[in-house]
Amino acid sequence: MKQGKYSEEQIVKILKEADAGVKVSDLCRKYGFSDATYYNWKAKYGGMGLSEIKRLRQLEDENRRLKQIVADLTLDNQALKAVVTKNF
């Protein structure tokens, strides 16, 4: 996965600035990101605190690892089934 330019702390800070009344276009110009990026951040992180965002990141990493484990076990299972069903 591509590493973002901004950390969670920076994203929370930017979203709080927008909540305080700063225009989105001004924030985009100041920090150098697009309107679409702001709205994606707002959809994903809106209303969250920093601790909640860190927990979300941990859960996403754990989910990714578990999916990888399931994929590996499924491949092993299919390979074993192919060996068992093969006629000798």
Side-chain angles (χ1 to χ4, degrees), residues 20-81:
V22 179
K23 290 183 181 180
V24 174
S25 59
D26 293 339
L27 287 173
C28 294
R29 194 174 311 112
K30 179 179 177 183
Y31 292 105
F33 57 86
S34 69
D35 288 348
T37 300
Y38 169 78
Y39 290 112
N40 285 337
W41 287 346
K42 187 172 181 180
K44 187 171 182 180
Y45 301 116
M48 289 186 178
L50 189 57
S51 62
E52 293 168 326
I53 291 174
K54 287 184 179 185
R55 179 69 181 143
L56 175 66
R57 181 74 56 183
Q58 289 174 346
L59 290 172
E60 287 173 345
D61 288 343
E62 181 180 1
N63 191 23
R64 180 188 47 78
R65 283 195 327 271
L66 291 173
K67 284 182 179 181
Q68 184 64 42
I69 290 170
V70 168
D72 290 344
L73 290 174
T74 302
L75 274 173
D76 291 345
N77 189 8
Q78 289 176 349
L80 291 172
K81 281 183 181 180

